[in-house]
Amino acid sequence: MEKKKTWLGKVIAVLLIAVMVITIFPQPAKAAGSYFIRINLSTNVVTVYNSANNAPVTAFTCSAGAATQPGTYSTSQKYRWHTLDGPSYGQYCTRIYGGVLFHSVWYYENGNLASQSTREFNKLGTTASHGCIRLTVAAAKWIFDNCPSGTTVVIFRGSAADDPLGKPDVVKVSTASRMGWDPTDPDPANPYGSAVPSISTVWAPREIAYGSVWNPLAGISAASSTGSDITHSITWTGGVNTKRLGSYNVTYSVVDGVGKTASTVVTFTVKDMSKPILKGIPSKRTKEYNSTYNLKKGVSAKAVTGKRLTGKIVVKVKAPGSKKSKVYKKSKLKLSKVGTYRVTYSVKNPANQLSASKVLKITVRDTKPPKLTGVKSTVKVDYNKTVNLRKGIKAKLVSGKNLTSKIVVSVKRPDKKTYTKLSTSKSKKYKFTKLGTYKIRYVSTNPTSKKKTTKYTKYTVLDVSAPKLTVPGTQTKEYNSTINLMTGVSAKYAVSKKSLTSKIKVEVSQPNSGNTYKTVSAAAAKSYKLTKTGAYKVRYTIANPNRTSKKTVKTVTINVVDTAVPVLQTPDLPGTAAVGGTVNLTRGLSAKLVSGRVITNQVAINITRVGTDGKTETVAVGNTGTLNLNKAGTYTVTYTVANPNNKARIAKKTYTIRVEDTTTPDISIKEGLTDTDFTIAEDTPVDLSSYVTFDAYTAGINPKLAVYVKAKDADDSTYVPVPVENMKQYRFAAAGTYTVKWVVTNPNNQKTDEATHDFTVTQPSVSPTGTAPETPDTTAEDSIAPVGEAIVTPDET
């Protein structure tokens, strides 16, 4: 509310407002600008609508007041800063009616952005004002900037259903001080501008026991950039398969109420941390004197991972009257003493050196037929009820020795044809888990003569138990696939086994739904489409039609991942180009997962060039994604991108660009050479390639040079090529005038250029001693040029 006036001002204001209410309030205010606003006092939510189509545009959490009056109004004045009750001060104020304004949470000091009331800011979302509509600075500024005077404002009391965009999260700030900055204030000096959320993983258990239930949020917490607890907002990617040993990386992420993010990676290791599992070893057995017992029959051992350890079991036997146990390696034990044998089975898990052991006690007695009393012929009992089968049953020898504790109780269930002997403890707490007729057999044996007395009781069992429900384990499915939720799911009576599958209720909680379950019809359950990535929870419920309070509920997790080959779009590259051109390799490049996640920044571009010399080299891409075609050859451009959820799923496209050099070489006689340089004594080696110069017309490739020689006036067809290996040590065989032609060729397109010049070849001068030079021999050998050189006839003029 605005700052309080004097009593006279209050009276005048009340009169003016009364007149305004009488004359104006009955008529709805007309919309101005592009928006109109609705304020729900019940939920403290402000929703902005598009005036053209009545569509909701944005929503803000607010604090209205008990004095805020419902009605339809039209905004008027705006104030960048305005004095409120207290006095206090607000930013970005827009008048709704009378003294009721939109404004920021109030400040202690006018214009001091660091003096906002911390306590009042944390009340946003609740009814807390004197009548004004309090907002965050960002929300108040949005209305200030986008809603001109004359904007329609409707104030009403509704429900959450009247907020089409819902109620935005409320940002909280630390209560350590009574005032501070609004975390949404866009001012550059806002200290919250550099604050970021944090995720704490220090208490997360890094080692997970094989086969245990992994809680992804155990020991994980998060705090917003304003310091409030936002652990409930943590999301994660990846997971831990506790049925598979190894290390798993899980990425945790969080977004706080002002849109700032944080993420971290935790590595979990699944280890075998359990003792071995011994099976097939009863706790007690009663055997006849001098009989044998197979110590290894039905006995097995394994690690929790399933690795067999049966061969590593060590058996020790302590006979009646003995003080020590001894290792026993045979399979069968001869029970040659009356009393109790103590058999200890032990095995060590080599993965963690943990040991497990079980003890079997074999009681050996010599029996005679005793008197057996207290056995009833028939009894009725409820299904799943526990009964002491020994209660009231007694046995003794004719001589009077009490054998009651030695009575052997056996049971034949309705689904079995044979009796199963019960231990003393189990017979005292025997649970009837099958419908139908049980037969209980009581046997009392004289320990001396082995004579027995046997009697029977029939128990009729009625079924009132919770049904048996079978569901599959945790599953992993592909995004957008369709699954039959009833596959592997069945239900039946616990006793009669009659099917109840058709009566199963199926409910589904989709990823990020806050564990909200929705019922799925039987038809929809058979063809359920997984349209989101993350963990689906499927809850199955079956009730016993005979007693609906007896029900069984099980939940199955379906982890949905996107592992398909990504969708890759690449530029349409040219098939040919000229040296010196460029190609943009990234214009129009995009990649995304089938589920829509963009992974363009993970696209790899590899380029190789096979030059005209046949050699292959790797070519780098420029910072702007430009490929410079500065060499001739064949360029191969390969785009690849892998699905980050499944590196084996790769999208790939390859283009070939042939780059040609179309230039013509240029050759000329080197500057500065004189006639003297072209006068050579016969049979003197001369480097013919040193007389010309030609351009390296393309980077990395030089033109091909050829040299030809002929007598000056001979026909051009008499040019003789000079072998490459003699070009630098060429010898003119005889004196005279010769024409030398140099030809340079572009090997890429065979274009050529040439230059010619005459050489004067002289006879050797007179030797220093004054003797005349020898007359050359005119035999055929004189015309033979050095190896690889051509014979050229000199000019005769």
Side-chain angles (χ1 to χ4, degrees), residues 31 34-36 38 47-57 164:
S34 302
Y35 308 103
F36 68 90
R38 287 168 56 85
T47 304
V48 181
Y49 295 79
N50 188 311
S51 298
N53 56 16
N54 295 334
V57 176

Side-chain angles (χ1 to χ4, degrees), residues 295-344:
L295 298 175
K296 295 185 178 181
K297 183 178 180 180
V299 176
S300 65
K302 64 179 181 179
V304 70
T305 60
K307 182 179 180 180
R308 290 181 57 83
L309 300 174
T310 303
K312 299 182 180 296
I313 296 175
V314 176
V315 181
K316 291 184 177 181
V317 176
K318 182 181 179 183
S322 299
K323 294 182 179 181
K324 294 183 178 180
S325 296
K326 295 182 180 180
V327 174
Y328 196 86
K329 296 184 178 181
K330 296 180 180 180
S331 297
K332 294 183 178 181
L333 175 64
K334 182 77 171 179
L335 303 173
S336 57
K337 294 183 180 181
V338 174
T340 300
Y341 286 78
R342 184 181 178 90
V343 183
T344 303

Side-chain angles (χ1 to χ4, degrees), residues 718-735:
T718 62
Y719 271 113
V720 177
V722 177
V724 175
E725 63 269 20
N726 295 336
M727 195 179 294
K728 293 184 179 294
Q729 293 287 326
Y730 185 77
R731 299 172 183 268
F732 290 93

Side-chain angles (χ1 to χ4, degrees), residues 233-347:
S233 298
I234 295 176
T235 61
W236 63 91
T237 58
V240 175
N241 182 359
T242 61
K243 292 294 186 180
R244 187 171 184 178
L245 301 175
S247 296
Y248 299 83
N249 290 330
V250 178
T251 301
Y252 291 89
S253 304
V254 71
V255 180
D256 67 10
V258 295
K260 296 185 178 181
T261 64
S263 65
T264 188
V265 177
V266 178
T267 299
F268 296 95
T269 302
V270 177
K271 292 185 175 181
D272 182 352
M273 303 167 66
S274 302
K275 293 182 178 181
I277 301 170
L278 280 167
K279 288 187 176 181
I281 304 171
S283 60
K284 294 181 179 180
R285 280 287 185 264
T286 299
K287 302 297 290 184
E288 294 297 325
Y289 168 76
N290 228 21
S291 63
T292 58
Y293 185 81
N294 191 333
L295 298 175
K296 295 185 178 181
K297 183 178 180 180
V299 176
S300 65
K302 64 179 181 179
V304 70
T305 60
K307 182 179 180 180
R308 290 181 57 83
L309 300 174
T310 303
K312 299 182 180 296
I313 296 175
V314 176
V315 181
K316 291 184 177 181
V317 176
K318 182 181 179 183
S322 299
K323 294 182 179 181
K324 294 183 178 180
S325 296
K326 295 182 180 180
V327 174
Y328 196 86
K329 296 184 178 181
K330 296 180 180 180
S331 297
K332 294 183 178 181
L333 175 64
K334 182 77 171 179
L335 303 173
S336 57
K337 294 183 180 181
V338 174
T340 300
Y341 286 78
R342 184 181 178 90
V343 183
T344 303
Y345 297 82
S346 61
V347 65

Side-chain angles (χ1 to χ4, degrees), residues 248-550:
Y248 299 83
N249 290 330
V250 178
T251 301
Y252 291 89
S253 304
V254 71
V255 180
D256 67 10
V258 295
K260 296 185 178 181
T261 64
S263 65
T264 188
V265 177
V266 178
T267 299
F268 296 95
T269 302
V270 177
K271 292 185 175 181
D272 182 352
M273 303 167 66
S274 302
K275 293 182 178 181
I277 301 170
L278 280 167
K279 288 187 176 181
I281 304 171
S283 60
K284 294 181 179 180
R285 280 287 185 264
T286 299
K287 302 297 290 184
E288 294 297 325
Y289 168 76
N290 228 21
S291 63
T292 58
Y293 185 81
N294 191 333
L295 298 175
K296 295 185 178 181
K297 183 178 180 180
V299 176
S300 65
K302 64 179 181 179
V304 70
T305 60
K307 182 179 180 180
R308 290 181 57 83
L309 300 174
T310 303
K312 299 182 180 296
I313 296 175
V314 176
V315 181
K316 291 184 177 181
V317 176
K318 182 181 179 183
S322 299
K323 294 182 179 181
K324 294 183 178 180
S325 296
K326 295 182 180 180
V327 174
Y328 196 86
K329 296 184 178 181
K330 296 180 180 180
S331 297
K332 294 183 178 181
L333 175 64
K334 182 77 171 179
L335 303 173
S336 57
K337 294 183 180 181
V338 174
T340 300
Y341 286 78
R342 184 181 178 90
V343 183
T344 303
Y345 297 82
S346 61
V347 65
K348 181 180 291 185
N349 186 344
N352 53 30
Q353 301 305 307
L354 294 177
S355 297
S357 63
K358 284 190 175 182
V359 175
L360 164 63
K361 293 181 178 180
I362 305 174
T363 302
V364 181
R365 299 276 173 91
D366 187 3
T367 63
K368 288 183 178 181
K371 290 182 179 181
L372 192 58
T373 60
V375 179
K376 297 179 180 180
S377 59
T378 59
V379 177
K380 290 184 177 181
V381 64
D382 286 343
Y383 167 73
N384 232 20
K385 186 175 181 180
T386 300
V387 175
N388 184 352
L389 300 178
R390 292 178 175 268
K391 185 175 182 181
I393 311 299
K394 297 180 179 180
K396 63 180 180 179
L397 296 178
V398 174
S399 61
K401 182 179 180 180
N402 192 345
L403 296 178
T404 300
S405 62
K406 306 298 187 293
I407 295 173
V408 175
V409 182
S410 300
V411 61
K412 185 172 75 171
R413 304 192 313 180
D415 58 334
K416 300 293 182 181
K417 293 183 179 181
T418 59
Y419 283 87
T420 299
K421 184 169 63 175
L422 304 177
S423 66
T424 300
S425 59
K426 189 170 184 179
S427 63
K428 288 182 178 180
K429 293 182 179 181
Y430 187 80
K431 195 171 186 178
F432 290 91
T433 59
K434 296 288 181 181
L435 291 178
T437 302
Y438 283 73
K439 289 187 178 181
I440 309 301
R441 183 176 65 193
Y442 298 91
V443 178
S444 180
T445 304
N446 189 304
T448 303
S449 65
K450 302 181 184 179
K451 297 291 181 71
K452 301 177 181 179
T453 299
T454 303
K455 289 188 178 183
Y456 300 88
T457 299
K458 290 184 179 181
Y459 279 82
T460 301
V461 181
L462 304 176
D463 181 15
V464 291
S465 304
K468 184 176 181 181
L469 178 61
T470 301
V471 299
T474 300
Q475 304 172 60
T476 299
K477 296 294 181 181
E478 188 65 26
Y479 165 79
N480 229 19
S481 61
T482 300
I483 183 175
N484 185 346
L485 298 179
M486 294 303 294
T487 299
V489 178
S490 63
K492 55 188 176 182
Y493 284 96
V495 180
S496 67
K497 307 299 182 184
K498 182 179 178 181
S499 176
L500 290 172
T501 303
S502 63
K503 299 183 181 299
I504 295 174
K505 180 182 179 181
V506 182
E507 300 169 284
V508 176
S509 172
Q510 295 187 347
N512 303 318
S513 65
N515 284 332
T516 299
Y517 285 84
K518 293 185 178 180
T519 302
V520 178
S521 68
K526 292 180 179 179
S527 183
Y528 191 85
K529 194 164 186 178
L530 304 171
T531 59
K532 296 181 180 180
T533 57
Y536 282 73
K537 301 288 187 182
V538 184
R539 184 165 65 194
Y540 300 90
T541 304
I542 183 66
N544 188 329
N546 299 324
R547 185 174 292 180
T548 55
S549 62
K550 297 292 184 177

Side-chain angles (χ1 to χ4, degrees), residues 63-230:
S63 281
T68 308
Q69 293 299 312
T72 300
Y73 307 98
S74 181
T75 63
S76 54
Q77 298 96 331
K78 293 177 178 284
Y79 313 95
R80 177 63 182 83
W81 280 91
H82 195 59
T83 303
L84 309 174
D85 280 352
S88 58
Y89 309 92
Q91 286 200 77
Y92 301 109
C93 305
T94 300
R95 189 177 301 281
I96 302 172
Y97 71 88
V100 175
L101 303 89
F102 288 115
H103 62 73
S104 69
V105 174
W106 57 264
Y107 293 77
Y108 283 97
E109 300 173 12
N110 191 10
N112 183 356
L113 299 176
S115 67
Q116 188 181 72
S117 171
T118 298
R119 180 190 63 188
E120 298 304 317
F121 182 87
N122 288 337
K123 290 181 180 179
L124 282 173
T126 65
T127 301
S129 78
H130 294 158
C132 287
I133 307 301
R134 296 179 186 172
L135 300 162
T136 64
V137 168
K141 186 176 185 301
W142 195 96
I143 293 175
F144 187 91
D145 292 341
N146 294 282
C147 299
S149 295
T151 296
T152 295
V153 179
V154 178
I155 302 176
F156 67 101
R157 297 188 186 278
S159 66
D162 298 310
D163 302 326
L165 300 181
K167 186 172 185 176
D169 288 341
V170 180
V171 179
K172 300 295 183 181
V173 295
S174 172
T175 57
S177 61
R178 72 188 184 103
M179 63 182 182
W181 280 76
D182 184 314
T184 71
D185 196 321
D187 192 283
N190 192 338
Y192 287 107
S194 60
V196 295
S198 63
I199 300 176
S200 173
T201 64
V202 66
W203 299 110
R206 264 51 172 197
E207 292 186 350
I208 309 298
Y210 180 92
S212 63
V213 177
W214 174 64
N215 180 359
L217 290 179
I220 308 292
S221 61
S224 70
S225 58
T226 63
S228 60
D229 184 0
I230 55 171

